[in-house]
Amino acid sequence: MSPQGIAKLAAEIYIEPDLRAGMVLYKGRLAACSLCGDLREGIICAHCGCFVQFRARTVKGYCPHPDGDKWPVGIGA
Ligand code: SF4
């Protein structure tokens, strides 16, 4: 499946508003993933094996890179 297809599925999953990452945060996270050498096929993180489009949707989601979290901070929930 394409990154766009996975993102569409991720967008259809209901997440409580308090737990949901805002669109700016979500897109910032995916932008960081797109620049990461550990993103596979545009959708899978090599460190956790998850679809980043799903992982990035929750406020409490984090980047599991062993050198430290690569996702942006301070751009809103
Ligand atoms: S290590 Fe972090 S930035 Fe890289 S693909 Fe995984 S979640 Fe995205």
Side-chain angles (χ1 to χ4, degrees), residues 15-33:
I15 300 174
E16 292 287 338
D18 289 354
L19 304 177
R20 191 184 309 152
M23 195 51 65
V24 172
L25 179 59
Y26 179 70
K27 287 183 180 285
R29 287 171 167 179
L30 294 187
C33 289

Side-chain angles (χ1 to χ4, degrees), residues 33-44:
C33 289
S34 73
L35 299 173
C36 178
D38 298 322
L39 182 67
R40 304 289 181 257
E41 310 291 328
I43 54 178
I44 297 171

Side-chain angles (χ1 to χ4, degrees), residues 29 32-34 36-40 44-48 50 52 55 62-66 68-71:
R29 287 171 167 179
C33 289
S34 73
C36 178
D38 298 322
L39 182 67
R40 304 289 181 257
I44 297 171
C45 174
H47 296 289
C48 62
C50 66
V52 295
R55 190 179 186 91
Y62 64 94
C63 162
H65 197 286
D69 195 326
K70 304 265 184 212
W71 283 355

